[in-house]
Structure formats: structure tokens, C-alpha cells
């Protein structure tokens, strides 16, 4: 309670009060709760006075000495305190709204919880002051010294911080949101703990930025065979990919900015970004993220052989970047129209190249698209309710969403619209050229993930809920629904006609006996798997042999294709086989292979044509949503996945629309060769053969070779589906099962059992020869098409402990290649010895591709396509062709057994 005499003395004026203080230096000054509103107390000596709870509303304390005074909960609203000495004064929870403290001395003052809303603290000395949890909303701190002050958890929203010295201040948890930018302001550095926290909080944009920057670079390393052909692009492809790439870089920048600006409010970590401004260096850095992509698209894979083409492709890429920037500017305009207005004008928050862009943004900001009345209701909602839920999203002063979030949400809406539009249009043109390349679909997926995961992390990190946990929960939930599995389509049909191996081997239309081959001559082929490389090499060898064998005899050309009894294909080899065998027709009374030599290159072109764009579309669209939200898929879309996309591409490219039973009828009639598309059951590990011929049955119990016609005698399957199942390379295409449920097992690539197709070929040929009397057995030429060079011997070396983590996988891959090759060679050698000893004439030729630069994706570049042709041309003059030529000429028995 204030001493009445002291209060009356002070009210008489500062001069009389100071004289009394001089006469009574040891007096205890008790002015607690005193009403001094509007009093002129300038130059008053109030050293050590107790003014707790005093009403100093509008008082003039200019030049007053308040050192060591107790001003707890005092009300200084509108008071003048400029040049006042408040050194070590106690001002906890004091109220200073709109007070003038210009040049006041507040050294080591205790101001915890004080309210300085709209106060003028310009050029004041707050060094060492305790301002934790104080409110400095829209306070003027221009030129103030806040060095070494405790500003922990203080609210400096919209404070005017110009040339302010925060050196060594503790600003952990302080809200420096939307402060006025100033290059002269000295901020305290982020402590190491806060830096580490931000690395975690920014993990989504950091990982996306690393992916965007390094993906093109990785394509130049040992991953070239897998990633290199992603960048085989024409001009239109470059344009769209660059639009998506620059947009992704922009999204990474915006996501970074939201976390750094709102980090304190949302997560309680020291404010990292104290200027609500996208600087030019930050914008340039985001552009650098897109630079490797531009360079690789323009000139990788030998696509820019001279300067003119390089400049044209570069110009197209830069045009795409310009279009992306224009789109980003439009998004920014929309966000400014929708968001609330701030003390910092929008034109000062973003850098612009042209003045008209800044003027248009100013007009957008001044245009009242949403009236104050309409903003009032969401503003009231934003200020009420749970602050923990809304922290970092809504301005506590206005209750409205921060402009940074408006920019994020408008960008997300634009991204989703573009994503859905492209996805829908591509689905409508599935299997056809569409102008959007695989790499563009990859970037679109990264773009969508940047926004979705970035927003999810911003929300969940406050509650310490790991983003990975949410993803695992969605995956686990989706995995429980039937729609998340992958399927292939079969149809009901009459029982397939029986076509025994013996009947295929001895078909009259195929034998074409001559003096050198009185019992006829037939060819059986086994072709290796290996993606588009194997498809192209298979088609090249088969069409090349057709053309070369044709030329052996000018008066009576030999049709190599019509002499083929069986082709056993695996993976990519099955794809090349499909395009070749599809060329057999029963038209104009001339059934068989009637393609002119001049048109044979079209079959090779079909095998070489890329399908990577379709696979990438399916990965970014149906298969992406199948992982997280499969229950949203309609029944009619259950078949649509990466495998289905491949089927559509092959079907439309090569006009392949037949079912296996359709082809089987041609095999039965003797004018189409039998085919075996080799695949594997996942659950049992048994070989699964999709064939147009019967296969030998085993009498032993336990696992055995299964065939489609045996397991589903009343079903049929499209040829492209059968080939897709045989070419289900790990992760590129999904393991699928029959939608009808007739075949309950999932099917994958036949390379798991035999990547060379030799075993099923030998079993088929063994049954065919066994069922044919020796005197009727034709001469047989066995051709192996090997699509990759034999691996050089690998030397063993010492490995670290981590090798134990992937050694089993390394061994599995070794078995799939080297071990299978050794096993097949042994099996073929035993077979040749066995049946040549029974009086059967057997010949063998191996056509092996010997270049090492082979792609592991469904796309080839120009050099790889040329290598196919070059390798074939070199083999035409080699010993393997000599064996084939000798077989058809009836000479060179030394090459046969």
C-alpha cells in the first residue's frame, strides 16, 4: 500500500520530490498501487522505489531514474519513458502498450512477461534484460541494443526490427514471425541443437532436393544401365520434364521456407528465418537443383551431336523453365489474393526480374477479393480453440492463415490438378505416344510427395509422431484389402486343342525335306531374358537369320522362319519372340511366315520401341495409390497396374491381339511355331509355362513343371498377358495372380528358374524325339540366343561385416546368371551326347550379344540400338552363322553330332 505522504509529495512535481529524496536518502519508497496516471514525472528520482501495480497510464517519465525500482505489474500504457534509466528495475508483467521508451536504458531490467505491444523501444538499451515471455507484438525496436538479453519465448510478431542488435541474445522459442527485414540487424546464431532439430524438421524437402539433384548424376555412374535411358528425350519431352523439374525445385523452396518461418510457433525451436522474404540467393539455389536435370536431358546419350542441336534442345529446356516460372507466378498471385495483408508488402517478400510483375502483385494485394467481414469469421475461429493444434498455421493476432501456408495450399491444389489431368489423359491414351516421358512422371510423383509429406510432417512433428509411422500404417491398412493385390485377366474358353511335341516337330509344312535332309530339317530356339535388350536382340537374330537363310539359295529361297518348331523365351526374350511369332499369318492361302525381307526391320523396331513411359505412368498413378489407398480403387481398375500398361504398349505397338489358344490352332495346323513363355510361381517356386504346345508330364511326386493349359483347361489368356507374366522382372512389373481365382498363385519372371529358356526347350525336344521313330526324326538345329556377354570371372576379396547383410542376395543374383549358365551348358552337352548316340542328327549355334552397355529398363538409346545392328552384322561373318548356313546347305557335318 502506497505511503500517502510520499504519494502527495510526488504529485507536487519532480523538482520538489527530488529535493525531498536528497534530504531523505535512506527512506523506503512505497508507491505500490499508486495512481499516477498522466502525471509529469520527468527527471524524477525513483531509484529503488516500489511501484508494483502502479497506474502510470500516460505518465511522463522521460529522464526519470527508475534503477532497481520494483515495477511489477505496473501499467505504463501510453507512458513516455524515453531516456529513462530502468537499469536493474523489476518490471515483470508490467504493461507498456503504445508506451514511448525511445532511448530508455533497461540494462539487466527484469521484464519477464511484460507487454510492449506497439511500444516504441527504438534505440533503447535492453542489453542483458530479462524479457522472457514478454510481448513485443508490433513494437518498434529500431536501433535497439538487445545483446545478451533473455528473449526466450518472447512474442516479437510484426515487431519493427531494423538495425537491432540481438548479438548473443537467447531467443530460443521467441516468435520472430513476420518481422520487418533489415540487413543491418544482427541476429544470434542458431545453436547446434537447433540446427540439428531443423535438419530433422526439414527432412522431406532435404531428401527431395538431394533426389532431384543427384538422380541425373547417378545415371552417369554404375547405375547408368538402369537410369541412363530415363534421359533419352525428344524436344517435347524436354519441355514438359523441365516444367515439372523447376516446379519441384520451387516446391522444395516453399516447403523449406514454411518450416523455417513457423518453426518456433509450431515446434518451439529457435526461429531460423527472421526475414519474411525469399532472397535472390535462395531462389538461385533452388534453380541449381534443376541444373543437372537440364544438362542430362539436353546432351546425354549422344543426343546433341553438334552445336546446333545442342542449342535447340537447350532452348526448349529453358522455355520449359520459363513456363514453370510463369505458372509459379500465377500461383503466387492467387495466394496473395486469398491471404491476409501484412506489414511487409508482398512485393518486398519476393524477388522479381521485371517491374510489371511487382506492380501486378501490388494490385493483387490491394484488391479486396475477400472482404474484412468475410475474413472475420475464420479469423475468430483461428484465434479461438486449441492453440496447440493451430500453432504455426494461424496468425495469433488476426486468427487468419499465414500467407506461406496459402502459397503451399494453392501450390498443392495446382499440383494435384496437373497430376490428375496428365494421369487421366495418359490413361485414355495408354499404349500410345503421349509426349510425357518416364522421367517426367517420376518428377511429378516427387512433386506430389514433397507437398503431401511436407505438410504431413509439419503437422505431425509437433506431436512427435514419426512420418514413417503414418506411412507404415497406411501401407499396412492398404495391404489388408483385396484391391491392393495385382491381377492378370483370363477368360473362359473351350478346352485347348491337344498339340503334342511330336506332332509339332514332324509337321509336314515345316520339314521341307531335301537330298541333304531326307527326313526334313527343323529349328528349335531358346532365348535369354533381360528386358528390352533381350527383346531387341531376339528379334534381330530371328529376323536376321530369316533374311540370311533366304539368300542361301537364289533359285529356291529357304524360309528359315517356317522351319522353326519351337521358341522357348524368358523375360525380354519372350517379348522379342512374341513380335516375331505374331508375324505368322494364315492369309491368302499361304499360311506361315510371309513377311518380305524388306519389312523384317519393322519387327525389330517393335521390339526396340520403348515402354518405359507407360511403366512410369503406372508407377506414379495406379500403383502409387494402390500402396496407400487401395480401397479407393474401382472394381474395373483392379487390373490397371505396371504390367497392364506394358501389355497395352506391346499390344498396340505390334498389333498383338490374339490369345494363346488362337496361336495354338496355328501350331496344330503346322504353320506357326510353338512357343513356351517361361515364368515361375512365387509361392511354390515351380516353373510355370504358358505354352501353345503340350509339355511332358512327370510321374514323380512333389513339385514339377506346371503349364497353363493343364492347370486351367477351360481358360484362355491373351498372348501379351502371357508374355508380361514371363517378363515380370523384379519391381519393374508386379507379381500378379489370376483375377478369376482359377490360378491362385502369383507369377513372376521365368529367370528365377532358368533365365536362358534351355531346360523347358530340352524337355520338350526330348519328348518330341522320344515319340518319333528314329527313321522319321528330322535333323534338328538348336539355336541359343544369348542377350548379354558372358561375365568376366569375379575375384574374391575381403569384405567388411556389412557384407553379411547382402551376401545372400549377392549369391542369389550369381545363381541366376553364372550358375544357370553352367547348368544349362552341362544339360545341353548331355542331351547332345545322348541323342546323337541314338542316331539323331543335332546341330548347335549360339548367337551372343557381346557389348557391355546394355540397358536394364524398357528403353534403349540410339547407341544401344545401333549396337544391336552392329553386333548382328559382325556375327554374320562368324562361325555361328557358318554353322547355320552349313545346316541348311546340308554341308559341314563336323558341326553336328
Amino acid at each position: 500500500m502506497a505511503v500517502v505522504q510520499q504519494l502527495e509529495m510526488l504529485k507536487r512535481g519532480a523538482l520538489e520530490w527530488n529535493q525531498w529524496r536528497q534530504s531523505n536518502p535512506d527512506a523506503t519508497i512505497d508507491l505500490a498501487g499508486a495512481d499516477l496516471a498522466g502525471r509529469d514525472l520527468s527527471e524524477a528520482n525513483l531509484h529503488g522505489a516500489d511501484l508494483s501495480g502502479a497506474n502510470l497510464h500516460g505518465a511522463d517519465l522521460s529522464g526519470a531514474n527508475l534503477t532497481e525500482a520494483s515495477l511489477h505489474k505496473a501499467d505504463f500504457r501510453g507512458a513516455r519513458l524515453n531516456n529513462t534509466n530502468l537499469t536493474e528495475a523489476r518490471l515483470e508483467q508490467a504493461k507498456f502498450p503504445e508506451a514511448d521508451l525511445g532511448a530508455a536504458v533497461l540494462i539487466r531490467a527484469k521484464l519477464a512477461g511484460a507487454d510492449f505491444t506497439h511500444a516504441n523501444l527504438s534505440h533503447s538499451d535492453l542489453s542483458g534484460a530479462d524479457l522472457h515471455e514478454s510481448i513485443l507484438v508490433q513494437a518498434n525496436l529500431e536501433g535497439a541494443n538487445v545483446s545478451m538479453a533473455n528473449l526466450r519465448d518472447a512474442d516479437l510478431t510484426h515487431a519493427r526490427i531494423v538495425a537491432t542488435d540481438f548479438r548473443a541474445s537467447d531467443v530460443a522459442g521467441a516468435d520472430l514471425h513476420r518481422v520487418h527485414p533489415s540487413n543491418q540487424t544482427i541476429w544470434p546464431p542458431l545453436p547446434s541443437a537447433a540446427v540439428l532439430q531443423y535438419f530433422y524438421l526439414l527432412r522431406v524437402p532435404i531428401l527431395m532436393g538431394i533426389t532431384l539433384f543427384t538422380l541425373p548424376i547417378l545415371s552417369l555412374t554404375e547405375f547408368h544401365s538402369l537410369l541412363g535411358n530415363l534421359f533419352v528425350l525428344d524436344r517435347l519431352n524436354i519441355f514438359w520434364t523441365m516444367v515439372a523439374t523447376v516446379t519441384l525445385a520451387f516446391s522444395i523452396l516453399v516447403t523449406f521456407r514454411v518450416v523455417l518461418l513457423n518453426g518456433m510457433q509450431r515446434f518451439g525451436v529457435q526461429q531460423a528465418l527472421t526475414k519474411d522474404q525469399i532472397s535472390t540467393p535462395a531462389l538461385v539455389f533452388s534453380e541449381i537443383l534443376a541444373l543437372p536435370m537440364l544438362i542430362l536431358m539436353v546432351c546425354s546419350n549422344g543426343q546433341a551431336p553438334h552445336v546446333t542441336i545442342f542449342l535447340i534442345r537447350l532452348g526448349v529446356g529453358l522455355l520449359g523453365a520459363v513456363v514453370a516460372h510463369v505458372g509459379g507466378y500465377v500461383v503466387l498471385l492467387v495466394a496473395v489474393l486469398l491471404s491476409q495483408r501484412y506489414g511487409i508488402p508482398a512485393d518486398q517478400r519476393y524477388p522479381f526480374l521485371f517491374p510489371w510483375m511487382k506492380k501486378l502483385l501490388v494490385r493483387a494485394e490491394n484488391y479486396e477479393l475477400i472482404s474484412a467481414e468475410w475474413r472475420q469469421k475464420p479469423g475468430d475461429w483461428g484465434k479461438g480453440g486449441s492453440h496447440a493444434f493451430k500453432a504455426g498455421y494461424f496468425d495469433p493476432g488476426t486468427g487468419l492463415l499465414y500467407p506461406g501456408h496459402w502459397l503451399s495450399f494453392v501450390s498443392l491444389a495446382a499440383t494435384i490438378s496437373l497430376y490428375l489431368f496428365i494421369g487421366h489423359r495418359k490413361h485414355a491414351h495408354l499404349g500410345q505416344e503421349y509426349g510425357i516421358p518416364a522421367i517426367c512422371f517420376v518428377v511429378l510423383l516427387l512433386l506430389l510427395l514433397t507437398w503431401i509429406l511436407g505438410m504431413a510432417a509439419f503437422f505431425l512433428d509437433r506431436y512427435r509422431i514419426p512420418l514413417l509411422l503414418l506411412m507404415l500404417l497406411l501401407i499396412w491398412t492398404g495391404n489388408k484389402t483385396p484391391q491392393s493385390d495385382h491381377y492378370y485377366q483370363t477368360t473362359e474358353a473351350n478346352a485347348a486343342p491337344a498339340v503334342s511335341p511330336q506332332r509339332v516337330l514332324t509337321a509336314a509344312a515345316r520339314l521341307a525335306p531335301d537330298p541333304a535332309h531326307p527326313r526334313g530339317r527343323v529349328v528349335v530356339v531358346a532365348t535369354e531374358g533381360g528386358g528390352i535388350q533381350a527383346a531387341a536382340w531376339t528379334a534381330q537374330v530371328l529376323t536376321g537369320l530369316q533374311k540370311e537363310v533366304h539368300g542361301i539359295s537364289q533359285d529356291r529361297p529357304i524360309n528359315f522362319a517356317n522351319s522353326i518348331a519351337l521358341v522357348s523365351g524368358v523375360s525380354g526374350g519372350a517379348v522379342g519372340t512374341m513380335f516375331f511369332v505374331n508375324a505368322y499369318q494364315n492369309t491368302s492361302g499361304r499360311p506361315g511366315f510371309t513377311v518380305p525381307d524388306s519389312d523384317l526391320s519393322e519387327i525389330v523396331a517393335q521390339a526396340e520401341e520403348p515402354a518405359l513411359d507407360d511403366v512410369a505412368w503406372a508407377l506414379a498413378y495406379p500403383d502409387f495409390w494402390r500402396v496407400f489407398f487401395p480401397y479407393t480403387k474401382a472394381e474395373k481398375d483392379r487390373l490397371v497396374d505396371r504390367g497392364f500398361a506394358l501389355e497395352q504398349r506391346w499390344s498396340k505397338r505390334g498389333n498383338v491381339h490374339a490369345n494363346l489358344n488362337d496361336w495354338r490352332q496355328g501350331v496344330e495346323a503346322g504353320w506357326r511355331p510353338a512357343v513356351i513363355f517361361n515364368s515361375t510361381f512365387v509361392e511354390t517356386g515351380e516353373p510355370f509355362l504358358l505354352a501353345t504346345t503340350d509339355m511332358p508330364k512327370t510321374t514323380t511326386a512333389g513339385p514339377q513343371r506346371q503349364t497353363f493349359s493343364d492347370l486351367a483347361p477351360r481358360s484362355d489368356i491373351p498372348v501379351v498377358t502371357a508374355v508380361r507374366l514371363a517378363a515380370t522382372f523384379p519391381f519393374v512389373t508386379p507379381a500378379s495372380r489370376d483375377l478369376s481365382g482359377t490360378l491362385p498363385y502369383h507369377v513372376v519372371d521365368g529367370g528365377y528358374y532358368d533365365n536362358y529358356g534351355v531346360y523347358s526347350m530340352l524337355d520338350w525336344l526330348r519328348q518330341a524325339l522320344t515319340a518319333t521313330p528314329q527313321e522319321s526324326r528330322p535333323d534338328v538345329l538348336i539355336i541359343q540366343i544369348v542377350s548379354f556377354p558372358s561375365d568376366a570371372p569375379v575375384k574374391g576379396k575381403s569384405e567388411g561385416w556389412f557384407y553379411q547383410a547382402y551376401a545372400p542376395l549377392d549369391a542369389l543374383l550369381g545363381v541366376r546368371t553364372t550358375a544357370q549358365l553352367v547348368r544349362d551348358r552341362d544339360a545341353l552337352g548331355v542331351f547332345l551326347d545322348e541323342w546323337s548316340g541314338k542316331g539323331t542328327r543335332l546341330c548347335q549355334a549360339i548367337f551372343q550379344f557381346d557389348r557391355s552397355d546394355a540397358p536394364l529398363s524398357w528403353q534403349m538409346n540410339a547407341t544401344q540400338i545401333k549396337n544391336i545392328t552392329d553386333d548382328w552384322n559382325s556375327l554374320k561373318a562368324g562361325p555361328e552363322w557358318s554353322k547355320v548356313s552349313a545346316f541348311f546347305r546340308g554341308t559341314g557335318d563336323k558341326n553336328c553330332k
Side-chain angles (χ1 to χ4, degrees), residues 228-459:
N229 290 346
L230 279 172
F231 300 94
V232 178
L233 308 171
D234 61 25
R235 295 171 191 174
L236 184 61
N237 294 160
I238 293 175
F239 173 81
W240 286 116
T241 304
M242 201 60 197
V243 170
T245 300
V246 174
T247 305
L248 174 57
F250 172 74
S251 73
I252 292 169
L253 175 63
V254 172
T255 308
F256 250 97
R257 181 171 173 266
V258 166
V259 174
L260 294 177
L261 270 176
N262 301 279
M264 189 291 304
Q265 282 190 333
R266 188 69 189 165
F267 313 113
V269 62
Q270 178 175 322
Q271 191 86 1
L273 187 59
T274 54
K275 298 176 184 177
D276 187 5
Q277 181 183 42
I278 293 181
S279 64
T280 301
L283 193 61
V284 170
F285 179 77
S286 71
E287 307 286 354
I288 290 174
L289 292 177
L291 191 59
M293 189 78 76
L294 175 63
I295 294 173
L296 265 291
M297 288 191 299
V298 169
C299 55
S300 68
N301 294 286
Q303 296 174 104
H306 52 78
V307 175
T308 303
I309 294 180
F310 171 79
L311 292 177
I312 292 174
R313 293 172 67 88
L314 179 62
V316 172
L318 294 177
L319 178 62
V322 170
V323 170
H325 281 89
V326 172
Y329 180 72
V330 171
V331 167
L332 179 60
L333 284 176
V334 175
V336 169
L337 281 169
L338 295 172
S339 63
Q340 61 173 315
R341 278 44 174 167
Y342 273 91
I344 308 173
D347 63 298
Q348 295 182 21
R349 299 203 298 267
Y350 310 98
F352 300 104
L353 288 175
F354 307 106
W356 64 266
M357 300 176 75
K358 182 177 290 190
K359 291 179 181 178
L360 188 58
L361 195 67
V362 171
R363 291 185 64 182
E365 188 173 35
N366 293 334
Y367 183 77
E368 193 176 28
L369 181 65
I370 303 175
S371 66
E373 181 181 355
W374 280 96
R375 292 184 190 273
Q376 183 65 37
K377 186 171 291 187
D380 292 341
W381 180 86
K383 286 186 285 189
S386 172
H387 174 72
F389 179 78
K390 300 170 185 175
Y393 289 102
F394 295 91
D395 185 339
T398 65
L400 298 175
L401 194 68
Y402 284 127
H405 287 296
W406 271 116
L407 183 58
S408 296
F409 289 131
V410 173
S411 299
L412 174 62
T415 298
I416 291 176
S417 299
L418 179 65
Y419 173 85
L420 293 177
F421 174 78
I422 291 177
H424 175 74
R425 295 292 297 168
K426 175 59 180 177
H427 192 182
H429 295 83
L430 197 58
Q432 303 172 10
E433 289 294 339
Y434 185 61
I436 306 295
I439 185 62
C440 189
F441 288 122
V442 172
V443 174
L444 270 176
L445 183 58
L446 291 176
L447 178 59
L448 192 66
L449 288 173
T450 298
W451 291 122
I452 294 177
L453 296 182
M455 290 179 178
F458 187 81
F459 179 79

Side-chain angles (χ1 to χ4, degrees), residues 656-673:
V656 185
H657 304 294
N659 291 339
L660 277 188
N661 283 356
D662 298 328
W663 277 18
R664 184 180 277 258
Q665 291 172 4
V667 176
E668 181 187 28
W671 54 268
R672 190 191 295 273

Side-chain angles (χ1 to χ4, degrees), residues 31 93 168 284 319 390 413 415 485 583 598 616 638 662 702 721 757 781 806 874 878 888 896:
L31 295 168
Q93 299 180 35
V284 170
L319 178 62
K390 300 170 185 175
T415 298
D485 206 350
S598 58
R638 293 177 73 178
D662 298 328
T721 303
L781 172 62
Y806 64 91
S874 66
F888 280 96
C896 299

Side-chain angles (χ1 to χ4, degrees), residues 547-582:
K547 186 174 182 179
E548 295 303 317
V549 172
H550 233 161
I552 289 176
S553 173
Q554 298 297 329
D555 55 338
R556 188 183 176 188
I558 302 172
N559 194 317
F560 166 80
N562 284 341
S563 69
I564 300 176
L566 174 77
V567 183
S568 173
V570 183
S571 193
V575 178
T577 299
M578 173 183 66
F579 289 121
F580 182 78
V581 176
N582 190 59

Side-chain angles (χ1 to χ4, degrees), residues 50-119:
D50 184 358
L51 284 157
S52 301
N55 181 8
L56 293 159
H57 190 151
D60 186 354
L61 288 157
S62 302
N65 180 10
L66 289 161
T67 57
E68 300 183 18
S70 176
L71 293 153
H72 180 68
K73 293 186 178 180
D75 188 350
F76 290 89
R77 191 170 308 174
R80 294 185 61 198
L81 289 150
N82 47 312
N83 297 308
T84 301
N85 186 353
L86 289 156
T87 302
E88 298 189 8
R90 294 192 60 206
L91 291 152
E92 294 95 336
Q93 299 180 35
K95 299 174 182 176
F96 293 88
E98 301 182 12
D100 184 358
L101 290 98
V105 179
L106 292 147
I107 298 173
R108 296 187 299 281
K110 296 174 177 58
L111 293 154
D115 184 355
F116 288 92
T117 303
H118 292 287

